[in-house]
Amino acid sequence: MNIRRTGADAIASKGWLGAHQWLLARRLSQGAILTLFLLGPLAAVWIVKGNLAYSLTLDTLPLSDPYVLLQSLLAGNIPERLGLIGVLIVVAFYLLVGGRVYCAWICPVNPLTDLAAWLRRRIGIKGSAHVARNTRYWILAMTVVLAGLTGTIAWELVNPVSMLHRGLLFGLGAGWAVVLTVFLFDLFVMSRGWCGHLCPVGAFYSLLGKWSPLRVTASRRAACNDCMDCFEVCPEPQVIRPALKGADKGVGPVILAANCTNCGRCIDVCSEDVFTFGMRFKNTPENGAQASPQGAASSNWSTRET
């Protein structure tokens, strides 16, 4: 049996860098943001002060997490003027580029969950527990209700995203147990379990960027050869099919699902350059081609390395 690795065709046609350009850009973004936060505590170079909940850049630019602010308001706290300005800036940004860009390009937990997903493929772990993807929205609702009932931002006490970021800045302590649990859960229990099914932070940002204009689009979907690599690497694979395979149903090529993270991995691993970044407004079926007639998805899927 001829077993192939995910992305092998893209590497062969575009080279290793071409098949990882958006992944490398994301790691650069995540690393640069973390470095800016670390420069102050570690080197006394205070370009950015604070953390992901609230920061002040060059003592001028405030940035505030709207999810944290919402919980704070429900807990009965009135934010200061800079906090409100910071929220407006952040909300405007994610309304334009897509809320879950936060998950793929900023969140410090994302490299760990990506690593767990990669290890699952390399080790060949196939089984996965099942939890509905909309569970994260129920958890999101619970966190805001809890803030209102307790008068505290209770979720931030156990939020792996905040714990990891604060821990990298000030020492993680017992927070390593929470972060390690997320990693092991994704590796052995459920594929993409935390980010794709449970995390209320991602759920919140998906709602925030639901109508953002920047989208991934399957602009050359007629060229799809059904290798399934895009589904394999996508953290939210359910968002791909309508745009990629919906031509015969009159569905446009733009991925409109709010849970798309705009990570660009589908662009990286596609040897046929089916995907690109585009605008949600260019979404008539005529802009995309007809779905692939090859029908080879099942045979290719059965002979791949997972």
Side-chain angles (χ1 to χ4, degrees):
M1 181 183 296
N2 183 24
I3 300 177
R4 55 183 291 278
R5 290 183 178 176
T6 303
D9 292 344
I11 294 174
S13 63
K14 299 189 289 189
W16 191 90
L17 285 177
H20 294 82
Q21 59 180 340
W22 290 109
L23 176 61
L24 293 174
R26 286 170 48 217
R27 296 296 177 253
L28 180 61
S29 171
Q30 291 161 335
I33 291 170
L34 183 58
T35 299
L36 288 174
F37 280 107
L38 288 173
L39 281 176
L42 298 183
V45 179
W46 296 98
I47 297 175
V48 179
K49 300 176 182 178
N51 53 39
L52 288 176
Y54 174 79
S55 65
L56 190 63
T57 302
L58 297 174
D59 290 324
T60 303
L61 177 65
L63 296 174
S64 305
D65 185 338
Y67 179 41
V68 173
L69 181 76
L70 174 61
Q71 296 173 79
S72 181
L73 287 172
L74 291 172
N77 302 312
I78 305 300
E80 296 183 357
R81 182 176 63 89
L82 280 180
L84 291 174
I85 293 174
V87 162
L88 291 176
I89 293 172
V90 170
V91 167
F93 175 77
Y94 287 119
L95 286 176
L96 290 175
V97 303
R100 291 210 65 194
V101 164
Y102 172 89
C103 302
W105 292 79
I106 296 174
C107 177
V109 174
N110 172 258
L112 294 178
T113 55
D114 276 357
L115 176 61
W118 179 81
L119 284 174
R120 282 183 66 93
R121 292 196 298 271
R122 294 304 298 268
I123 297 173
I125 300 175
K126 298 182 181 297
S128 180
H130 176 73
V131 174
R133 288 186 179 273
N134 64 0
T135 301
R136 52 188 155 189
Y137 294 101
W138 287 105
I139 297 176
L140 172 62
M142 290 172 58
T143 63
V144 296
V145 170
L146 188 62
L149 292 177
T150 65
T152 65
I153 310 177
W155 169 247
E156 289 304 300
L157 299 177
V158 295
N159 181 3
V161 178
S162 300
M163 294 181 71
L164 178 57
H165 195 256
R166 287 196 303 265
L168 291 172
L169 295 177
F170 309 115
L172 196 58
W176 278 115
V178 176
V179 175
L180 181 61
T181 298
V182 169
F183 175 77
L184 294 177
F185 177 76
D186 270 26
L187 178 59
F188 294 114
V189 180
M190 178 180 292
S191 176
R192 302 285 187 180
W194 175 251
C195 295
H197 298 78
L198 300 178
C199 181
V201 180
F204 175 85
Y205 278 102
S206 72
L207 297 176
L208 183 60
K210 182 175 177 62
W211 303 106
S212 62
L214 180 64
R215 297 285 172 170
V216 174
T217 175
S219 56
R220 297 187 66 249
R221 58 187 176 184
C224 175
N225 61 7
D226 290 322
C227 72
M228 303 297 288
D229 282 358
C230 57
F231 288 94
E232 182 75 10
V233 300
C234 181
E236 301 279 353
Q238 77 281 358
V239 309
I240 295 178
R241 184 169 296 279
L244 184 62
K245 299 297 181 182
D248 57 343
K249 299 179 181 179
V251 177
V254 178
I255 297 177
L256 295 176
N259 278 310
C260 176
T261 67
N262 278 1
C263 69
R265 282 300 283 151
C266 58
I267 303 174
D268 282 344
V269 302
C270 183
S271 62
E272 304 298 327
D273 293 325
V274 168
F275 300 95
T276 187
F277 281 109
M279 304 298 288
R280 70 177 301 126
F281 312 112
K282 298 181 179 180
N283 195 33
T284 59
E286 291 75 19
N287 286 338
Q290 294 298 310
S292 169
Q294 297 177 20
S298 59
S299 60
N300 283 352
W301 181 261
S302 63
T303 58
R304 70 182 301 106
E305 177 181 323
T306 57

